[in-house]
Amino acid sequence: MGARATTSPHSRTAWGWYARVTFFVLCALVWPCIVLAPRARWAHCVARAGARLWIGMTGLRLEVRDRDHLHRLRLPCVFVANHTSKLDAIVLLAALPLRFAFVAKSELARSAFLRWPLHRLGTLFVDRHPRHSNGSATAQAIARLRQGDSLFFFPEGTFGDVPGLLAFHRGAFVAAANAGADVVPIALRGTRDVLPDLRRLPRRGSLEVAVGAPIDPTEPEASPRSPEQMAAASLRQARAFIARGCGEPDLARPETEPRSGTS
């Protein structure tokens, strides 16, 4: 009887509202701390603490697999992960004990509520649509990497409710190859089930973050190789790891991958 009650529609709805209200309460507390933090490093620590606190308060189960790879990273590096939910960034902040900046679509910067904390966290905003923006966005990413900033890309560039791994944009891998930075693949699992989109309440579930071994795009397979060839090789390796770990079907057709662009 008790087991059925915990999985009843009323119980799931009550938990969903609890998780949502808790999120916005924490946002109200964390937002000014991030925006007013005197140093970017402190702002990132506050964001990570808020993400971990929300996951802990909601009772979501978060497992980080192969975290030992994080101790052997050559920084700065380029992280790449599958994109399945608006919850992804929160889970990654909670799971990875490293400082990095997300690469995000420029539309997020239109809202001051999002722009101010994201800017404080070093987010690199890129325009995904205009044809001539790709080279500029990749150049910005290369410059940030050469300045010592690790970047986090979602190379699919978008997500939806339908499960599946989309084709990757190649900008993250081109930036890594040109900057001589390692690519670290991350496979996310469970975020789509917990929060499919903003129109629905969160649902109880398990979250998994699998960390792949760093990929050195400059490591020769066949010498000499151009940055484009190095990027293509690291894209294939990173995608193979993510496809194995994400638990979703691979929706990309060979003839349509890789895609151009940075996100």
Side-chain angles (χ1 to χ4, degrees):
M1 187 74 177
R4 286 197 298 271
T6 59
T7 58
S8 69
H10 293 298
S11 176
R12 290 194 294 268
T13 300
W15 182 89
W17 277 110
Y18 165 75
R20 184 164 183 162
V21 171
T22 302
F23 174 80
F24 284 111
V25 169
L26 286 175
C27 278
L29 298 173
V30 169
W31 188 93
C33 295
I34 293 175
V35 173
L36 299 176
R39 297 183 182 178
R41 178 171 58 86
W42 295 1
H44 200 275
C45 289
V46 170
R48 180 182 296 117
R52 290 177 174 175
L53 184 58
W54 182 75
I55 289 176
M57 291 179 68
T58 55
L60 291 168
R61 297 180 296 277
L62 174 59
E63 178 185 3
V64 183
R65 293 176 45 204
D66 299 322
R67 68 172 71 232
D68 288 346
H69 289 310
L70 299 174
H71 304 310
R72 298 192 294 270
L73 291 184
R74 180 170 58 98
L75 301 176
C77 62
V78 170
F79 295 95
V80 293
N82 54 309
H83 202 8
T84 64
S85 168
K86 288 183 171 62
L87 189 60
D88 293 344
I90 295 173
V91 171
L92 291 166
L93 281 171
L96 304 180
L98 297 169
R99 184 180 163 192
F100 52 83
F102 285 107
V103 179
K105 58 185 180 181
S106 58
E107 291 92 325
L108 295 179
R110 296 174 184 170
S111 165
F113 181 80
L114 293 175
R115 181 176 67 250
W116 292 349
L118 290 177
H119 177 75
R120 199 72 188 91
L121 293 171
T123 302
L124 174 59
F125 295 104
V126 298
D127 196 333
R128 301 176 303 165
H129 302 299
R131 183 175 302 174
H132 301 294
S133 68
N134 294 331
S136 173
T138 302
Q140 292 178 59
I142 294 170
R144 289 283 298 272
L145 289 166
R146 288 175 175 168
Q147 290 168 11
D149 295 336
S150 292
L151 298 177
F152 206 115
F153 292 77
F154 295 106
E156 291 169 281
T158 189
F159 66 90
D161 279 346
V162 178
L165 189 65
L166 303 175
F168 281 6
H169 294 281
R170 60 187 178 182
F173 307 94
V174 172
N178 279 276
D182 287 351
V183 175
V184 183
I186 305 287
L188 287 168
R189 197 166 187 164
T191 52
R192 195 192 306 273
D193 292 332
V194 172
L195 186 63
D197 60 55
L198 284 181
R199 293 171 297 173
R200 305 176 189 175
L201 293 175
R203 299 181 293 207
R204 291 181 187 271
S206 298
L207 306 167
E208 183 180 291
V209 177
V211 182
I215 301 166
D216 182 355
T218 65
E219 186 174 324
E221 290 179 352
S223 186
R225 294 196 300 169
S226 68
E228 286 288 339
Q229 291 171 320
M230 290 188 287
S234 60
L235 186 155
R236 287 193 298 270
Q237 294 178 64
R239 185 181 178 84
F241 174 84
I242 293 172
R244 290 194 302 270
C246 71
E248 297 187 349
D250 190 338
L251 302 182
R253 295 176 298 175
E255 64 270 23
T256 63
E257 190 178 7
R259 295 153 65 187
S260 62
T262 299
S263 298

